[in-house]
Each structure stands twice: as structure tokens, then as C-alpha cells.
Amino acid sequence: MLDSANLKEGALRSTDIRIPDYFHKVVDCQWACPAHTPVPEYIRLIAAGRYDDAYMVNWTSNVFPGILGRTCDRPCEPACRRGRVEDHQAEKPEPVAICRLKRVAADNKSDIRAHLPKPAARKNGLKIACVGGGPASLTVARDLAPLGYHVKVFDQDPLAGGMIRTQIPRFRLPVEVIDEECGYVLDLGIEFRGGKRIDSMKALLSEGYDAVFVGSGAPRGRDLDIPGRKEAAKNIHIGIDWLSSVSFGHIEKIGKRVVVLGGGNTAMDCCRSSKRLGGEDVKVIVRSGYDEMKASPWEKEDATHEGIPILNYMVPMEFTHRNGSLTGVLFEKVKVEFDVQGRRKLVPTGEPNQHYECDDVLVAVGQENAFPWIEREAGIEFDDSGMPVVDKATFQSTHPKVFFGGDAAFGPKNIIWAVAHGHDAAVSIDKLLHGEDLRERPAPGVTLISQKMGIHEWSYDNDVSLDERYVVPWAEPGKLKSIKIEVELGFDPLTGFKEARRCLNCDVQTAFTASQCIECDACVDICPMDCITFTRNGDEADLRQRLNAPAKNLAQDLYVQDGLKTGRVMVKDEDVCLHCGLCAERCPTGAWDMQKFLFQMTDAGPGCRTRQRKAA
Amino acid sequence: MTYITKPRLHHPTLPINKIGFTRRDYEGKISTLCAGCGHDSISAALIQACWELDIEPHRVAKLSGIGCSSKTPDYFLGSSHGFNTVHGRMPSVLTGANLANRDLIYLGISGDGDSASIGLGQFAHVMRRGVNMTYILENNGVYGLTKGQFSATADAGSKSKRGIANTEAPVDTVSLALLLGATFVARSFSGDKKQLVPLIKAALAHQGAAFIDVVSPCVAFNNHSGSTKSYDYVREHNDAVNRLDFIASREPITVDYEAGEVASVQQHDGSVLRLRKIDPGYDATDRIAAMHYIQQHQAKGEVVTGLLFVDPETEDLHAHLNTAQTPFNRLGPKELCPGRAALDKLNASLR
Ligand SMILES: Cc1cc2nc3c(=O)[nH]c(=O)nc-3n(C[C@H](O)[C@H](O)[C@H](O)COP(=O)(O)OP(=O)(O)OC[C@H]3O[C@@H](n4cnc5c(N)ncnc54)[C@H](O)[C@@H]3O)c2cc1C
Ligand SMILES: Cc1ncc(C[n+]2csc(CCOP(=O)(O)OP(=O)(O)O)c2C)c(N)n1
Ligand code: SF4
Ligand code: SF4
Ligand code: SF4
Ligand SMILES: [Mg+2]
């Protein structure tokens, strides 16, 4: 019997899988990655032991695989499908260790220099200045130098790397890794001017650069102006400055009792560094609750793992001191209350203030932006909060030749965002200097290729691993005392392989051709996750309730195809598909096929230029 | 076969039934049948029905003969009892098992070759004896396993894959079952689980010989145009007489229908069959009218489906034979071999 005819009104239209965003969204990790690194592609290469290739897939997208494989803020992991599909089924549902797998590629690769682009054989005569030598500037330089641009990178510090080098402690990121990966970029024929601070934007612009990229970061740590700040200044340090002094070896010791103020990642680095420099009783004290802290969950866990208590809901009121020396910090206890508008507020509990004795305080309560070296009449507009007015797509400022990226553009973020900004700014600069419209952004490179090798054989490993997430081993406890010895050891190749197998290959897409379907239900019956339903059409909200399993995750799309003989539609909820390919294996007609969707961002160069694309 | 095993992971919201199992717990090994075989959908419907009925898997015995269809018990209810008999002999082995242990739920799985060709005699007798079982005949009109020869249920005129028409008259298994006294007779289609699942549930609850003929296309050998057992043909010629809502005895009856639309039939175990009529004149409790209707419509090339006949006041083989209530495996040696004196007494009573 035919199901009732299609609802004409409000019925969903067939999904157009040729729109790159559709399948890109299905690759949750890649979609979430600011640089859109093809994650499953490199994870498969790691599983195949092809570490060089895995490294290069990363290098192309994110420039610093070894650095990011240790330090990335990993927005991909909370997005990873693996966490969703393990929901209710694993002890603790966990994403694939995407970030630490990147490190596996970096650690196990051979000499990859032959795969890197060569310095341009012929220069194109265009000059670019990058202010700051952090990840944002280095990405701009890497993308532009091989195209023939003359790129000069200025940094007030002697070596390139920006906060990667000056802030992130060595026990998380060894200096050799920084040297290696900054080196790959600088070896592309880039002029690096270390120890050179830019003091005037006007002067810089007058030197005749064709474009200027500002990647100067967000260097100033916010101070805490409460009573006692001046009197006890000797033992009160701004966390960021203190960390860079530690990095450069200017500071080697701290008092036995340390209070770290603030709840972000900087605070976590401060407390763990203190432990290694003589701190015995180290505490982190935060205004907010534990869950609201800005630090990433794993950073908090790592600090706790090292025996550092985190105390919440305490607002610093005063630095106490005696004879010019700090004696401690006084805190007011607060709690959360919601006002009539439902806004969260911290209000005093009324309990007596609490005093914590200490020898040193590290203030890590945020960063401020400051551009003292950019004259306000240089043609660059700033907003009320002192931030430059920057276009979110082109990274152009109100001065057509001046671009911003990284922490300098929109305030402190992280390395991978700085890299993503750098790529986009490089595209803009390349287009600008080829007389093109910057607003016309280049389309990504997309391929969709069947993975079928035989009747039941695919060119990817479709057997879903049931392993739970592997834990990265740590150095033995004795070594945790040193500020230089790396804490994490990284996965060994075998564990890396097993962790890589947890990846579901979300880029191998289920592609459906309605005209081939005979509606035998084989795919519906085999699908382990109840993703597929054949039903009469309806609007999205209605369809979401009528599927074999409720499709409650609105962030995940429904794949709808009409054109079936019974007049029904095929609806697939992408939410928890395992990409196991069983639907395609059980399909007698090949209506389902598993097709690899490779999505690559278009970097600066001929491919990003409209005219060249049209001519091609 | 290089199939991977079906991943154990399931939808995070997959519900559990009253005895704590998900539907996935009722699955078996991964199927080795051809991709798209109708038989796999019947397995899925059986899994769904058993899950919905909260059946404890170890209370089920699956018996089958030979054929692709008869292989399927390996692909569902992996924790149940199973017996793969010789070709066409499922009914007699099942009858024996049922006599020895009446406490299990008996599921007979067979094909059209297995039941209508080599096993026709066995099929006839198990129906007329009223063995308490659910008999599923997965009917594709061919011998799938031996590469697609016409079976005894192939319609005259139906074409083989090579274009040759069948010249022999078909065995109509539902008419035969009605004629032989089956007390629950239905026909369905593997491609319509909405119809099939409630029919299986009702059959499992039925205390007697329940027969469901499920048209189940063989994608490898009998799904071309010219075949009367293809997905397309069945969809185009499906004449469903009713839609069944099965209500297990312990569930409160909550659905209300307008009078006239619905006929309710209470089965012996207390379960209620609510039949929403599609053909207003069809009475599923009238055996003779049912036979008439089926013959009439099949002559027009229609595939009559739905619950075709049910006799709610039925008795099974054990009642006819007045057997002991306790299964053999729970009787002790004393009851099973009562000794010389008891035998003499029995013999004397027969003289
Ligand atoms: C303590 C700490 C730990 C962190 N840990 C992580 C982490 O684990 N993972 C992560 O992803 N991110 C981390 N971050 C954030 C990350 O370091 C930054 O987001 C990132 O480095 C920003 O890159 P950028 O290129 O915009 O600028 P930066 O890395 O800040 O580089 C800017 C450079 O410009 C130079 N400069 C500034 N002004 C001038 C001038 N006028 N002339 C010449 N040079 C100038 C600065 O000296 C600096 O070297 C951390 C930050 C801090 C403070
Ligand atoms: C005694 C005996 N005779 C013949 C065969 C060969 N044989 C195996 S399966 C089969 C027919 C099965 O047809 P059916 O029951 O319709 O199952 P299907 O494969 O179509 O599901 C035959 C004739 C056999 N296995 N044993
Ligand atoms: S399972 Fe693999 S491909 Fe899918 S989101 Fe996670 S890392 Fe990415
Ligand atoms: S790949 Fe196909 S069978 Fe596997 S989970 Fe996704 S939709 Fe289901
Ligand atoms: S031969 Fe026919 S009946 Fe047998 S498994 Fe294949 S499709 Fe099914
Ligand atoms: Mg058959």
C-alpha cells in the first residue's frame, strides 16, 4: 500500500549535497576547527602509519602541528561526534583525542622539509610588513612568501613565536618544537627582524609597504587595583609578564606560599609553573564558580592532578602587607543570585572576609588590548573600548592597506584562531594587491569521491572501534618538579593507532540517490543508530518527531531526498551516524554510497583570485 | 562475506522495554543474505515485535527448514533456542519440541519452497493439528538459496528473470491454511512493517496454529518486471483488508475509535485485536467468507493482505490430547517412568 501522498505545504525540499557547507557540517571536528583542518583525513593517515603525510595535511591547514598537538584549545573535541555516539553507552563519553593525535604525527614523522614549499624563485616586487612574530603573523608570512611577496616580520622579542614562545610554559611545550616549526616558516625566504619594536604606525606606513599586517597580540595583562597593591608591589606579579620572564629565564624562583588570582588558562599556567619554581602551598582563587571559569576543562584537571586546590566564589578585596612585604590576600565570599531580569550576579554571602597568607601573588585576571604605537591619526579607526575597527571576513581595518589578526584583532583567543585569521588576512592582502574585491571570498576546494572497492569493501576502515578514549601518559612524578621537562609524553605509535581507530571517519559521507532506491528497507533495518526513516514528507519540526529515533539535536541537519516511487521521502538524521557504511553495504542497488568529502580552505595564491578562477 | 559485525553502539535514546532490554538486544548475527532481501526486513519485524511484547529471549524456540528464509533465525533473537531441521521438516520437529516443552514460545520460520514444495504435507498437518506456534512463511515465489527456480507459490504467468513464464498453478498457502483449520491466518509484505509488526505480535499471543504468509521479494532472482513477487508488483497490487492494532492483555485499552470503523476481537490469552477496517464488508472472524474473498480478489491479481481470519476461541494440540501441564524437563524420573505397575494399569484400562 502506498503511504499517503506527500504533504505539499511545508514539506522539506530535497537536500542539495553539492552545497559545500552541507557535508562540511557533518564533519563536526573540521567544521568546529577555526582553520578547518581536515581532521579525519589526517587521523586515517596516522592509523596507516603515514606520519609525514598526516603532518603535512596539518601543516597546510594549521602551520604549527607539533605546537598545536600539545597546546591547542581544541574546539574540535567538544564538537566531535564520538562524544555524542558514546552517550549513555560508555563509562564516560569522550571525543577522539584529536589534538594529541596531531602530536603523534609530529613526533613520529621523518624529515619533512622536502615536502615544504620552496622560497619563491622570483619575487613579485610587493612588500609586506608584519608587526609581531606570533602565530598570526607567521601564518600571513607563510602564505604570502612562497608567492613571491617580500615579507618582513618585526618583533620586539629576539625570537619568533610570540606568546607561543614567551607565555606557554616549557613543561607543556618544549622549545625545540617552537624552534622547529617557526623555522619552517622563516626558511621560506622571510625577513625576520627580532628585537625590533615598531613604535610608530605612521613611520611604518611611510616606508612604502604595500600592506601591513598587525599581529601584535594582546600583550598587557590586566592589573588589580585594590588596597595594598602599591605597598606590596614587590611580591605582586602580573601573570603574563611573570610567565614570559620565566620563559626567558629571568625568574627562577617563587615564594613557598603562592596565591594565583584568576580562573583562565593563564592562571593555570601560573600555578603549575609556581609549583616547579619552589611553590609548595599554591592555590588558585577565583571570583566565579568552578564551571564558569574560563580555563579549559583539561587545564583545570591538570592543575588539580598536580595537587593545586582551586577555591571559588571569592573576590579579592585587599593585599595585606607588613613593612613593605606582602602577607596575604583578603577575600570577600560571594554567591550567585539572579536578578529580576534573570541575570547572574555575584553578591556577598555576608560571611566574614577570609584571609589567605602568602609570600607571592600572581595576578591573572585577563588581558587588555593596547596599541600605544598606533597614532590615532594614522587612518585606523578604533572603537570605544580601544579596539581597532576590523572587518570580520576580510580582517581589513579602516585603512585599506592595514590588516589585523590574532589577538590584536578581536581580543585574546588562542593559537588556532590566530592561524585562521592569518590565512584570511593573507587571502585579503593577495586579492588587494591584485586589484580584486576583498569581500568576494574564495570558495573552498571540495571533492566527493566514492570509497567503494568491492561489494563489501571500502577504501576506509569502516569497522567501528568500541575502545574508550586512551589517556596520554605523563612523565614520572619526580619530573613534575622541573619547569623545563615536558609533562605529557604523547601517545606511543601503537596507542596512537588505537586512538586513531576511534575516529568515525565523519568525512566519508552517506550519499543517497533516490532514483535507484527500491524501498526495500535494508538500510533502515541494518542501521545501528536508527538514522534512516522512509516516511511521508512534512516540515522540519514535524519530521524530526516522526523519525525512527527522535532527532532532537537541532544543530545537526536532516538529509532529505524525495523522488521515491511510493511518494515518501528518505530522511536521514546526521546526528549520530557512525559512518559505518552498513547502509551502503546492505543496499542492493547502490542507492546509498559512501563518498569521501574532502574540504580544503583556499589559501592565498592564484586559486583565491576571482579573475584567475573565472579565466580557468 | 566480508561484512563487518554491526557495531554494538546504538542510538543514545534507544528505549528499553519492561524487562530491561533494548531492541538491539533481540538481534542475532549479521545477515549473510543478499543485500535488500525481503527476509531481512521480516527478521527486523520479528525483533521489533518480540521487543515490544517484552518477551524474554530464552523463552523462545526458533525452528526452521532449509532455504535463505530458513537461515534467518541465525540473524535475530541470538539468545533464543534454535533448531535448523532438514528441508521441509520444521513442522514435525517443532511439534515434537512443543509436546515435550509446552512452556516455550514456538516460532517456525520457513520459505515457500520449504513449506509449499517439499514440506507441503508437514505444513498441512501442523495447521490441522493446531500446534501452538507462529508459522512465518517468507514467500518469494522462488527457491532463493538454489538460485531462483520457481517454487510452488509462483503465480501462473509470472516471469522468471530470464523471461520464461511459469505454467503451473500456484499453491495458495493462506487458502490452504484456512481450509486446514488454522485459527489465525494473515498475509503481509516485508516492505510494510507497520502492517507486519502488529500481525506478528497478535500471532505470538494467539494460542493455536497462527500462520502468516509474508510476501518477501528475492532481490537476486525475483524482483524484475513480470514477476508477481517483486517490490513494485506487491506495492501496486496490495489489497489490505484491515489494519491491526494489537493490545497486549495487561495494557489498558486507551484508544477509542468511532463505532463501525473498528472491530475488536479478544483472544484467549486476554489480548485484544483492534481491526480498523479498510474494506468495510470484510469480517475477519468468518472463515468461509474469508476464503471466498481471498479467492475472488486473487483472481483479479490482487495481493490480499491483513488479518484474514482469527478464531479467538481456540484450543491447541495439548488441549486436544489432554497432556500434562508440566514440560518434560521439569518432571522427575518417577513421573517420566512411573514403572511396571502404572503401565499395567494403563494397559488394563485400554482392554
Ligand atoms: C599564559 C598563556 C598561556 C597560553 N596558552 C595557550 C595554549 O595553551 N593554547 C593556545 O591555543 N593559546 C594559548 N594562549 C594564547 C595564545 O598564546 C595567543 O592567543 C596567541 O599566541 C596569539 O597569537 P598572535 O599571533 O595574535 O599574537 P602573539 O602570540 O601575542 O604575538 C604577538 C607578538 O608581537 C609582539 N609585539 C607586540 N607589539 C609589538 C610591536 N609594537 N612591535 C614589535 N613587536 C610587537 C609581541 O612581543 C609578540 O611576540 C596562551 C596565552 C597566555 C597568556
Ligand atoms: C532434501 C533437500 N532437497 C533439496 C534441497 C535443495 N534446496 C535447498 S534450499 C531449497 C529451496 C528453498 O526455497 P525456499 O524455502 O523458498 O527458500 P528461499 O531460499 O527462497 O528463502 C532447495 C530445493 C535440500 N537442501 N534438501
Ligand atoms: S569522530 Fe573523527 S571525524 Fe568524527 S568528529 Fe570525531 S574526530 Fe572528527
Ligand atoms: S553509515 Fe549508514 S548504517 Fe552506518 S550509522 Fe550511518 S546511516 Fe546508519
Ligand atoms: S537469493 Fe533471494 S531469497 Fe536468497 S538471500 Fe538472496 S535475495 Fe534473499
Ligand atoms: Mg523462496
Side-chain angles (χ1 to χ4, degrees), chain A residues 59-322:
Chain A
W59 191 82
T60 305
S61 293
N62 56 49
V63 193
F64 304 102
I67 291 168
L68 288 164
R70 293 168 164 86
T71 61
C72 187
D73 217 20
R74 25 178 157 149
C76 53
E77 292 193 17
C80 172
R81 170 177 309 253
R82 183 86 204 185
R84 296 200 299 278
V85 306
E86 286 185 357
D87 192 19
H88 289 295
Q89 300 180 72
E91 191 84 23
K92 186 172 169 229
E94 288 268 27
V96 174
I98 302 173
C99 175
R100 288 337 189 227
L101 283 173
K102 210 188 292 298
R103 174 173 173 185
V104 171
D107 284 359
N108 293 289
K109 68 181 187 311
S110 59
D111 185 350
I112 49 83
R113 277 173 295 184
H115 299 297
L116 299 174
K118 306 277 165 295
R122 210 178 307 135
K123 296 274 177 192
N124 65 7
L126 296 163
K127 276 175 28 184
I128 315 293
C130 293
V131 184
S137 286
L138 291 180
T139 302
V140 171
R142 187 206 76 169
D143 285 358
L144 293 181
L147 302 174
Y149 290 92
H150 184 119
V151 185
K152 256 194 201 176
V153 177
F154 301 93
D155 202 300
Q156 62 199 12
D157 292 331
L159 296 171
M163 298 217 285
I164 291 175
R165 189 181 291 277
T166 58
Q167 296 296 319
I168 301 179
R170 297 289 182 262
F171 59 83
R172 286 209 285 127
L173 177 61
V175 73
E176 301 78 48
V177 181
I178 306 174
D179 289 344
E180 176 192 339
E181 293 190 334
C182 291
Y184 290 154
V185 176
L186 297 180
D187 287 348
L188 296 171
I190 287 151
E191 192 181 336
F192 180 72
R193 303 284 302 277
K196 167 85 179 112
R197 184 183 159 78
I198 300 297
D199 286 313
S200 161
M201 176 60 98
K202 275 167 81 178
L204 187 68
L205 284 170
S206 70
E207 285 172 37
Y209 289 100
D210 296 287
V212 171
F213 176 77
V214 181
S216 56
R220 266 191 21 194
R222 204 175 286 149
D223 204 347
L224 197 58
D225 198 11
I226 53 175
R229 173 70 181 93
K230 277 200 198 77
E231 294 82 342
K234 190 155 57 83
N235 300 101
I236 300 172
H237 321 275
I238 301 294
I240 290 210
D241 299 343
W242 182 80
L243 281 172
S244 59
S245 304
V246 171
S247 273
F248 287 116
H250 305 322
I251 291 182
E252 288 171 336
K253 262 172 64 193
I254 195 159
K256 281 206 168 68
R257 299 169 305 169
V258 181
V259 164
V260 177
L261 299 174
N265 287 336
T266 304
M268 298 303 115
D269 280 341
C270 284
C271 67
R272 294 175 70 195
S273 296
S274 303
K275 272 257 165 172
R276 288 163 170 79
L277 297 180
E280 283 168 12
D281 168 15
V282 179
K283 292 186 187 68
V284 175
I285 307 184
V286 196
R287 288 165 60 97
S288 71
Y290 186 83
D291 291 336
E292 292 78 52
M293 286 169 62
K294 289 227 173 71
S296 319
W298 50 88
E299 299 264 350
K300 293 191 271 188
E301 280 161 22
D302 289 351
T304 309
H305 191 110
E306 295 189 358
I308 299 165
I310 297 177
L311 312 176
N312 297 92
Y313 293 124
M314 284 205 265
V315 178
M317 302 304 287
E318 187 185 341
F319 296 112
T320 56
H321 51 91
R322 198 183 312 122

Side-chain angles (χ1 to χ4, degrees), chain B residues 39 66-69 87 111-114 118 138 140 142-146:
Chain B
H39 300 349
I66 296 291
C68 298
S69 35
H87 205 8
D112 42 326
D114 197 58
I118 193 170
E138 311 194 343
N140 54 17
V142 287
Y143 300 162
L145 193 69
T146 54

Side-chain angles (χ1 to χ4, degrees), chain B residues 49-347:
Chain B
C50 291
W51 176 78
E52 285 180 18
L53 287 176
D54 310 310
I55 288 175
E56 295 168 306
H58 69 278
R59 304 301 309 149
V60 179
K62 322 164 278 187
L63 290 96
S64 63
I66 296 291
C68 298
S69 35
S70 294
K71 281 171 71 181
T72 62
D74 210 16
Y75 316 139
F76 59 83
L77 294 177
S79 316
S80 299
H81 308 278
F83 197 113
N84 204 196
T85 76
V86 283
H87 205 8
R89 269 59 179 174
M90 174 273 283
S92 51
V93 179
L94 187 145
T95 306
N98 184 308
L99 284 172
N101 184 351
R102 63 191 296 166
D103 280 0
L104 296 182
I105 297 165
Y106 287 92
L107 190 54
I109 305 291
S110 182
D112 42 326
D114 197 58
S115 286
S117 300
I118 193 170
L120 189 62
Q122 298 247 328
F123 169 72
H125 292 295
V126 84
M127 289 294 124
R128 54 175 278 280
R129 282 182 180 140
V131 177
N132 185 7
M133 70 176 296
T134 298
Y135 196 126
I136 307 273
L137 193 158
E138 311 194 343
N139 189 352
N140 54 17
V142 287
Y143 300 162
L145 193 69
T146 54
K147 301 245 177 295
Q149 302 83 354
F150 282 128
S151 77
T153 65
D155 291 311
S158 181
K159 289 212 177 94
S160 74
K161 210 173 172 180
R162 287 213 216 112
I164 300 159
N166 179 32
T167 50
E168 292 164 16
V171 170
D172 177 31
T173 52
V174 292
S175 296
L176 207 52
L178 283 167
L179 199 61
L180 291 163
T183 46
F184 181 111
V185 179
R187 175 175 277 142
S188 189
F189 171 42
S190 66
D192 186 358
K193 286 200 201 69
K194 280 202 194 107
Q195 182 189 52
L196 180 55
V197 172
L199 285 174
I200 294 173
K201 288 165 74 180
L204 288 167
H206 184 76
Q207 303 294 304
F211 175 66
I212 311 179
D213 178 275
V214 190
V215 185
S216 173
C218 169
V219 285
F221 301 112
N222 207 10
N223 192 39
H224 42 270
S225 66
S227 156
T228 59
K229 297 275 192 290
S230 66
Y231 282 106
D232 285 352
Y233 184 91
V234 180
R235 286 205 167 97
E236 278 155 28
H237 296 83
N238 192 340
D239 169 32
V241 294
N242 49 33
R243 283 266 159 188
L244 173 65
D245 291 314
F246 174 81
I247 300 159
S249 49
R250 45 206 141 75
E251 288 169 27
I253 298 171
T254 49
V255 206
D256 271 326
Y257 297 98
E258 281 174 40
E261 268 187 358
V262 159
S264 287
V265 180
Q266 180 149 28
Q267 297 207 99
H268 208 72
D269 71 332
S271 61
V272 176
L273 311 181
R274 300 213 136 199
L275 287 164
R276 275 180 290 142
K277 293 191 176 183
I278 294 172
D279 188 319
Y282 196 87
D283 178 2
T285 57
D286 184 338
R287 187 186 293 270
I288 294 166
M291 292 201 281
H292 185 69
Y293 183 99
I294 293 164
Q295 296 293 316
Q296 215 172 29
H297 285 255
Q298 278 176 185
K300 290 192 265 177
E302 286 167 14
V303 183
V304 181
T305 63
L307 178 54
L308 303 175
F309 173 71
V310 60
D311 174 1
E313 292 306 322
T314 169
E315 281 192 328
D316 81 334
L317 181 64
H318 283 281
H320 300 159
L321 298 180
N322 191 24
T323 56
Q325 287 299 321
T326 316
F328 288 177
N329 63 5
R330 280 197 272 127
L331 295 174
K334 242 202 238 133
E335 290 91 358
L336 289 169
C337 299
R340 181 87 211 180
L343 182 63
D344 288 346
K345 206 173 142 199
L346 178 68
N347 281 338

